[in-house]
Amino acid sequence: MLERFRAALVVAAALLVGGGVAAADTGNIAYMTGPPQCEKRTLVLAAFPAEADAILAHTTLDPNPVVKVGFRHYYLGTISGKKVVVAMTGIGLVNATRTTEVALQRFTCPTAVGAVVFSGVAGGAGRTSIGDVAIPARWSLDKGATFHPVDPGMLAAAQTVSVTLSGVNTLGNPICLCRSVPTVKLNDLGRQPQLFVGGDGSSSDNNNGTAFPCIPNGGDVFGCQPCSVPDRSLLYTGNFFQAVGPFLTRGLLSNLNLDAAQNPAFDAVDNETAAAQAVADAHGVPFLGIRGMSDGPGDPLHLPGFPFSFFFYRQIAADNAAQVAAAFLQTWAGP
């Protein structure tokens, strides 16, 4: 009885001094201390439906996976044993910036974003050819005038990734009216695509500072949702009504410039990665960009180039990038 009384006095004193629940060594009695543990997840981003579906093919979704923030949808799950939040940003710098910012503001403890990975397609030049995957060591938002390095720990882990990439290009799910379709082979590259870690990447767009509007039920490039998500709806409009007006008045004419900006100075050229990195850097969150090549050298069909090669090879590029992302998450020791 005396020992129980002493234990009660210790706990009462701790509560008075600490102002909350405290832990005390009271024999067989255990007490919880502090706030609940914060679960860290990796935010895995992709720009358009084909890219997001390639990532989701490697994702085991949680029982209640959907988190909605306005018109943006985030999906909780695991990839290669790592807890993740998967999101489709939409095409372009503005969409990538806003989706990343919303995620970092929304996901704080008890579930927080501990790192950001962008997986998608890009134009290749220099070392990279169609089907290859690049993980640049640094990214530029001003076509190479300045660069920002990716997280050194993530880059070091990427350098240890061993993966066999596919040389077979498939049709994918271009209409995107249902969650899955049979695999239809288009062509074989006739070579083994390679993974390149290091070098430089560049991100820019022609939208004149406006958000590129998704198109409701616009297929696996321009659509507003990944094809495979559990909450897919033909009525979902994404950012269309918010973005279409500003885009038509300020971004449409500049967007008609179809220059893919392939530059031998860069291993990957895209429309989103460096913008997402800028947000992650501002929040002190580690970042890595992974891009599969849909444009550039190495086309056995000798198509005219962008945008023809992009629409033809987007699926192999998205699939190979997602395969590398999954292998990276398995290798990396981070959250």
Side-chain angles (χ1 to χ4, degrees):
M1 180 67 71
L2 182 59
E3 291 300 322
R4 293 181 180 178
F5 179 71
R6 289 176 177 172
L9 286 178
V10 170
V11 173
L15 287 170
L16 288 173
V17 173
V21 178
D25 183 7
T26 58
N28 295 327
I29 303 176
Y31 295 86
M32 294 182 61
T33 64
Q37 188 174 14
C38 188
E39 177 190 64
K40 294 292 184 72
R41 291 182 179 240
T42 300
L43 176 65
V44 182
L45 300 171
F48 55 82
E51 294 177 340
D53 286 318
I55 283 292
L56 289 166
H58 294 272
T59 307
T60 301
L61 294 175
D62 289 358
N64 297 297
V66 184
V67 177
K68 299 179 181 180
V69 186
F71 61 80
R72 293 178 174 86
H73 293 190
Y74 299 86
Y75 301 93
L76 307 181
T78 59
I79 299 176
S80 301
K82 293 288 195 307
K83 294 284 189 179
V84 298
V85 179
V86 178
M88 192 183 92
T89 64
I91 295 170
L93 300 176
V94 172
N95 286 329
T97 297
R98 291 176 179 172
T99 303
T100 309
E101 186 68 52
V102 169
L104 293 178
Q105 291 177 357
R106 167 61 178 81
F107 293 100
T108 57
C109 290
T111 298
V113 172
V116 180
V117 172
F118 209 114
S119 175
V121 312
R127 296 187 300 169
T128 51
S129 299
I130 289 173
D132 291 343
V133 176
I135 305 180
R138 57 183 191 167
W139 286 87
S140 175
L141 264 173
D142 50 20
K143 299 184 179 181
T146 59
F147 286 94
H148 298 276
V150 301
D151 180 73
M154 297 176 81
L155 186 66
Q159 290 169 337
T160 69
V161 169
S162 178
V163 62
T164 301
L165 300 176
S166 174
V168 177
N169 184 36
T170 62
L171 180 63
N173 189 359
I175 300 177
C176 199
L177 293 179
C178 54
R179 294 184 183 178
S180 61
V181 295
T183 299
V184 177
K185 177 181 174 180
L186 292 180
N187 72 316
D188 195 313
L189 295 177
R191 58 180 171 80
Q192 181 66 58
Q194 301 297 309
L195 170 62
F196 294 91
V197 181
D200 296 334
S202 175
S203 300
S204 61
D205 66 27
N206 297 318
N207 299 325
N208 199 25
T210 65
F212 190 89
C214 69
I215 300 175
N217 304 308
D220 70 350
V221 174
F222 300 112
C224 297
Q225 270 186 305
C227 309
S228 61
V229 290
D231 63 337
R232 174 159 178 76
S233 169
L234 298 180
L235 302 178
Y236 180 69
T237 59
N239 76 335
F240 177 77
F241 290 108
Q242 295 88 345
V244 68
F247 176 77
L248 290 176
T249 56
R250 300 200 307 274
L252 179 60
L253 291 179
S254 60
N255 194 265
L256 294 178
N257 176 11
L258 297 179
D259 180 16
Q262 293 173 10
N263 187 324
F266 304 119
D267 291 320
V269 177
D270 66 48
N271 300 141
E272 298 88 19
T273 305
Q277 180 192 22
V279 177
D281 288 352
H283 286 262
V285 176
F287 179 88
L288 190 72
I290 301 171
R291 288 287 179 166
M293 302 304 117
S294 61
D295 304 279
D299 176 13
L301 301 180
H302 305 290
L303 297 175
F306 185 86
F308 303 98
S309 56
F310 164 77
F311 283 103
F312 192 80
Y313 288 110
R314 69 186 183 278
Q315 196 62 50
I316 188 174
D319 288 343
N320 281 350
Q323 186 178 353
V324 170
F328 165 75
L329 290 172
Q330 188 173 31
T331 302
W332 181 46

